[in-house]
């Protein structure tokens, strides 16, 4: 099968490309060339800007892809250009989405009022009622966050009768080459020998579905290659959404850290650790049973091994200079107020 991947050079994308190539598929990648990625031998690379997809339509259509995987459809315009470009050429499109489409996300951010709903969130759980979640903080209309919203992307991708689509709602993805360094701040404290890691008590109990990059990539590749995915929406992620405290302890076990995770009332948390004013009652725990039942997806890398690989990469690739030193004195002062944590 010939597959075109749009934007497959950053974090999850290269793992998807490798998975497809290893399965014997012919793969081309359309990207800007700004991110160095170790793509397998034989992968065809086409340079261009995803934001100007229409300008490259003729060249991309000549590739005659059977399936097009879009890793970076951020806006409704992106989705419409995707379908316009490949309608009449491809048999299917697959779009990488996000769990930020759920209403629970806006309730977590206190954008929409309401009590917590049932968790884990299945694919038919209520979606956000307010579109463009980051527009208020965007520097201007030209910035990608201004029109970003995966809800209209999903509607367009799933609504074309001529070009069937699939949507994958990805979790919090971690692993080597994670540009967001999702384990970094906890690992830094562990490697600095901190006796305890402080979490706001609501945050400590909050659950978020995560997924190791290689396993998430396997789910994406499966949806690309299995025609049964047409017209479907799939949550992807680990079956058990750990609380934040459990997540820190899991990192600590693999990192060799023997400290404590301490849940602290918000008013007693040092200012530099106080998170935004989230309503932590609203969990982003999703149900991935549909893709497991329909396509047979399952994790291949146990969580302990996934964290071992992630931590090894983090330690081998410390961030460039400029990161502020944590205020450990303030953290120690807070710990001393909690009986038994520090002498």
């Amino acid at each position: 099968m010939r597959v075109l991947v749009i934007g497959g050079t950053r974090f999850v994308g290269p793992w998807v490309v490798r998975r497809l190539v290893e399965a014997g598929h012919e793969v081309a990648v359309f990207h800007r060339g700004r991110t160095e990625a170790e793509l397998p031998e034989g992968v065809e690379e086409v340079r261009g800007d995803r934001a100007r997809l229409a300008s490259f339509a003729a060249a991309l259509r000549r590739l005659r892809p059977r399936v097009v995987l879009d890793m970076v459809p951020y806006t409704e315009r992106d989705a419409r250009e995707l379908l316009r470009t490949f309608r009449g050429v491809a048999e299917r499109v697959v779009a990488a989405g996000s769990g930020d489409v759920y209403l629970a996300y806006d309730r977590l951010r206190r954008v929409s009022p309401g009590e917590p709903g049932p968790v884990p969130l299945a694919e038919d759980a209520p979606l956000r009622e307010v579109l463009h979640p980051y527009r208020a903080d965007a520097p201007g209309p030209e910035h990608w966050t201004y029109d970003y919203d995966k809800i209209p992307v999903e509607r367009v991708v799933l609504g074309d009768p001529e070009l069937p689509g699939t949507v994958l709602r990805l979790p919090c993805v971690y692993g080597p080459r994670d540009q967001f360094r999702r384990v970094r701040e906890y690992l830094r404290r562990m490697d600095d020998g901190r006796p305890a890691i402080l979490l706001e008590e609501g945050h400590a109990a909050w659950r978020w579905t995560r997924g190791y990059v290689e396993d998430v990539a396997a789910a994406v590749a499966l949806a690309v290659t299995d025609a049964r995915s047409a017209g479907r929406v799939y949550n992807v992620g680990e079956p058990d959404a750990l609380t934040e405290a459990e997540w820190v302890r899991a990192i600590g076990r693999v990192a060799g850290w023997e400290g404590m995770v301490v849940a602290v009332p918000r008013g007693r948390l040092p200012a530099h650790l106080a998170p935004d004013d989230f309503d932590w009652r609203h969990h982003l725990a999703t149900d991935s049973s549909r893709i497991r039942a329909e396509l047979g997806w399952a994790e291949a890398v146990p969580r302990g091994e996934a964290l071992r690989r992630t931590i090894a990469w983090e330690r081998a690739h410390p961030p460039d200079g400029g990161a502020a030193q944590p205020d450990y004195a303030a953290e120690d002062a807070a710990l001393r107020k909690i009986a038994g944590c520090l002498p």
Side-chain angles (χ1 to χ4, degrees), residues 36-101:
E36 293 185 9
E38 297 180 2
L39 298 176
E41 184 178 352
V43 171
E44 184 175 352
E45 297 184 57
V46 181
R47 300 295 175 91
D49 190 347
R50 172 66 178 78
R52 298 174 51 243
L53 187 65
S55 300
F56 302 90
L60 295 174
R61 288 171 65 90
R62 281 196 294 270
L63 295 173
R64 307 297 299 178
R66 184 172 171 185
V67 180
V68 178
L69 166 63
D70 193 344
M71 296 297 299
V72 286
Y74 291 155
T75 69
E76 180 177 356
R77 177 178 177 273
D78 290 343
R80 292 195 182 282
E81 286 201 349
L82 173 71
L83 297 186
R84 188 180 304 118
T85 299
F86 296 104
R87 191 180 293 115
V89 175
E91 294 180 7
R92 290 186 292 120
V93 295
V94 178
S98 169
D100 70 7
V101 298

Side-chain angles (χ1 to χ4, degrees), residues 137-153:
D137 298 320
E142 300 304 316
H143 195 266
W144 69 270
T145 55
Y146 188 84
D147 285 326
Y148 169 92
D149 200 323
K150 295 286 188 173
I151 291 177
V153 169

